[in-house]
Amino acid sequence: MTPFVRAAEEFEFDAFLLLGDTVYADGATTLEEYREKWRGALARRPNRLLRASTGVINTWDDHEI
């Protein structure tokens, strides 16, 4: 069970903080490649479950810019 799935299924959070390293877009050289990496990561089941269960607040770090 991934941490996102455990958080979604076992806890009742008011919000969940993602403090960087949300998506690794290493190797993306175009805007479309970057967006595709984000789409793929956000479409994964653990991420979908977490976002459906509570509010999610993200911050950026050097991997997102």
Side-chain angles (χ1 to χ4, degrees), residues 1-18:
M1 176 179 299
T2 70
F4 282 8
V5 172
R6 183 164 186 230
E9 294 179 350
E10 296 184 26
F11 301 102
E12 292 184 26
F13 293 117
D14 292 327
F16 192 89
L17 303 177
L18 291 172

Side-chain angles (χ1 to χ4, degrees), residues 41-59:
L42 294 177
R44 293 181 55 216
R45 181 178 177 271
N47 202 316
R48 288 191 333 268
L49 287 174
L50 179 65
R51 287 183 290 125
S53 71
T54 190
V56 177
I57 301 166
N58 298 1
T59 63

